[in-house]
Amino acid sequence: MSHGMREAPALAPMTLDDLDEVMAIERASFQTPWSRGAFRYELTQNRVARSMVVRVGRQLAGYLCLWEIGHEIHITNLAVDPSFRRRGIARALLGSIMLGARRDGVELVFLEVRPTNVEAVALYEGFGFRVIGRRKGYYFDTGEDALVMEARLGAETAGPTGGNQRPGSAVVSDAPPDRGGRQ
C-alpha cells in the first residue's frame, strides 16, 4: 500500500503505545530485528537512550533510536516503513536529531552501517558522516562487517549536503543487530 504525503511529517518521542507499529516496521526493515523487549528496555530503563517517531497523519512512518552519552550521540536504529521510503522520512528524522544535537552542544555522532546498504551510506554522507573504521564480522546474522561512521558537528554540517538534497532520495537505514546483548 502506498501512502501519499499530503500531511507534513510530525516528529515525537517514541512511547510504549507506538511499539506495535514500530515492531511492524522493524520486522520489515531488518533481517535480524530488535525484539519488543529491546525497544521496551530503551524506552523504560536505558537512561542514555532517546527514541523518536515520525508520523504522517496517523500512520507511523519511521523511527530513530540513539544513545546520548556526554557530548556524543550513537545512533542505534533508524528505519522507515517500506511504503514511506524514498520520501524524505529518514532525512527528516536524522536532520532533526542532528540539529538538536548541534544546538545541545553535542560534538560527535556515531553509527554503524552495513557496507552493502549503499542508500543508507549515501544518506549519512549527505549529513557529513565519514567512514572512520570497520568492525569485522559485526553483523552476526551474515558475518558482514560494519562501517563505523562519524559526523563532527559544527557550522559546516548544518544539514544535508552534496547529492543527497534531491527530494525523495534514499530513505533506508541500518543499525547494529547486536543491541548490546538485549535480544
Side-chain angles (χ1 to χ4, degrees):
M1 169 176 15
S2 179
H3 299 279
M5 293 275 286
R6 291 181 208 109
E7 298 183 54
L11 284 97
M14 184 186 293
T15 69
L16 292 173
D17 291 337
D18 295 321
L19 287 186
D20 287 341
E21 292 171 285
V22 166
M23 290 307 302
I25 295 170
E26 181 75 6
R27 288 186 197 109
S29 299
F30 301 109
Q31 185 173 340
T32 307
W34 280 16
S35 67
R36 180 179 291 269
F39 282 103
R40 181 178 291 279
Y41 174 83
E42 294 295 287
L43 293 172
T44 63
Q45 294 179 6
N46 186 344
R47 291 183 292 161
V48 300
R50 285 194 304 133
S51 300
M52 300 296 293
V53 296
V54 63
R55 290 187 177 278
V56 176
R58 299 169 95 180
Q59 172 85 29
L60 196 142
Y63 55 87
L64 185 147
C65 304
L66 61 85
W67 294 344
E68 189 169 3
I69 304 168
H71 293 290
E72 297 180 2
I73 285 178
H74 188 116
I75 295 173
T76 58
N77 198 341
L78 172 58
V80 173
D81 184 288
S83 65
F84 281 99
R85 291 185 183 156
R86 303 188 65 80
R87 295 191 173 124
I89 299 295
R91 182 177 295 104
L93 279 163
L94 191 57
S96 173
I97 293 304
M98 299 289 280
L99 183 64
R102 189 173 294 102
R103 186 178 51 236
D104 293 343
V106 171
E107 298 168 4
L108 294 170
V109 182
F110 295 95
L111 58 83
E112 288 89 6
V113 62
R114 293 176 193 260
T116 55
N117 192 343
V118 295
E119 292 93 352
V121 171
L123 172 70
Y124 301 140
E125 287 174 341
F127 277 92
F129 283 85
R130 64 185 182 89
V131 175
I132 61 164
R134 189 176 202 97
R135 298 191 199 278
K136 295 286 184 194
Y138 185 76
Y139 294 99
F140 64 86
D141 55 351
T142 63
E144 189 174 2
D145 295 349
L147 297 178
V148 179
M149 299 184 80
E150 84 169 3
R152 293 184 176 273
L153 300 183
E156 72 280 0
T157 58
T161 60
N164 228 8
Q165 291 183 351
R166 70 184 187 282
S169 67
V171 181
V172 295
S173 62
D174 212 335
D178 177 16
R179 314 309 196 269
R182 287 179 270 103
Q183 286 188 0

